[in-house]
Amino acid sequence: MADSPMTLSEHLATQQAYLSTEHARNVAAVVGRIGRVAAVIAQELAHAALRDRLGYVGAANATGDQVKKLDVWGHDALVAALRETRARAALISEESAEPVEMEAGGTHALVVCADPVDGSSNLDVNGAVGTIFSLRSSRGKTPAGPQALGAGTDQIGAGYVMYGPATALVYTVGQGAHGFTLAPETGEFLLTHPDIRIPRRGKAYGINEGNVHTWHPGQRAFIEHLKARDKASGRPYSLRYSGAMVADVHRTLLDGGLFMYPADWSDPAKPKAKLRLLYEVAPMSFITEQAGGRASTGLERVLDVVATDYHQRVAVILGSPEDVATADEFYRR
Ligand code: FDP
């Protein structure tokens, strides 16, 4: 009989050697706790239509998006879960304009940046959604929230949970990207995708093509390139887009290709991006690089972009390294 797969907590223990002792303990506590709250979120999503949890609350969040009932519920569930660990010092969340400061947990306490329910436009149509998180050091400072600002390379860990037909959790502490699947009968995440390696090139791209007229000319030319027929290089690529970043990035990590959300260049003096740096693009870019992929804004490496605002937005092109390198070339032409 095959050995039983490693649980998330067993796997977190194997990663301790790659982090300083104090950080390692806190990362294991926070990721383990996020795993447990994810199992609860998965249950809530499964029952949302039955419990009248679908639809909007009738207010906008810090970045102007209309908030859904499950966004608020997910934020509250995450805050409560993190408060139960002693490893956290603050939470930067899509659903809160300012950091949620928590009782300081010592020099190695963590600042968690999270989008509790990402892809919420999929909620009311029973589509896949996710939770994204990023971990940084509080450096023992109070308030801890400002310690989240800085480059993506400062992240100690990152991960996401995808609520699809199965609930999947992928995380990194800078030593590869590892994927787990929730066993509903035990509530445990089990290692099903150890050391994910993204293919060097893919066959599909994900982008909201309805925005084509707002794109940078390099972005437009790149998409035309992907659609052009060339048997030798495997083109045309197929279009795959779910509308939830977590689901689109998860597919891209496993199958290769690209996930893109380019900026709106209608006013070239002020390009406007949509996705948020701290709790969407930086963590997903960290995970992608750890899987052997690449993540760019078209103009620079995402992880080098310095956050100066909690809800800063940034363009992203991430996925198979050779595909992203080709996209960058189109931006330079
Ligand atoms: P959503 O607005 O539904 O929360 O977080 C933003 C996000 O979803 C991503 O998950 C997703 O990739 C993107 O926005 C979808 O945006 P479009 O509807 O503009 O394509």
Side-chain angles (χ1 to χ4, degrees), residues 115 118-121 208 241 243-245 259 261 274-276 280:
D115 186 351
D118 181 69
S120 43
S121 57
N208 182 341
Y241 188 69
M245 184 186 196
F259 166 74
Y261 212 112
K274 169 169 179 179
L275 300 186
R276 275 52 59 103
E280 293 181 318

Side-chain angles (χ1 to χ4, degrees), residues 119-189:
S120 43
S121 57
N122 273 2
L123 282 171
D124 298 345
V125 295
N126 197 22
V129 294
T131 297
I132 308 174
F133 60 94
S134 160
L135 311 176
R136 294 173 188 244
S137 175
S138 68
R139 302 180 175 100
K141 302 257 173 65
T142 310
Q147 299 306 313
L149 301 175
T153 45
D154 291 344
Q155 293 173 98
I156 296 173
Y160 64 81
V161 183
M162 176 183 162
Y163 309 99
T167 300
L169 183 151
V170 174
Y171 86 99
T172 182
V173 295
Q175 292 291 325
H178 311 285
F180 299 77
T181 304
L182 181 67
E185 57 287 354
T186 59
E188 288 272 17
F189 277 98

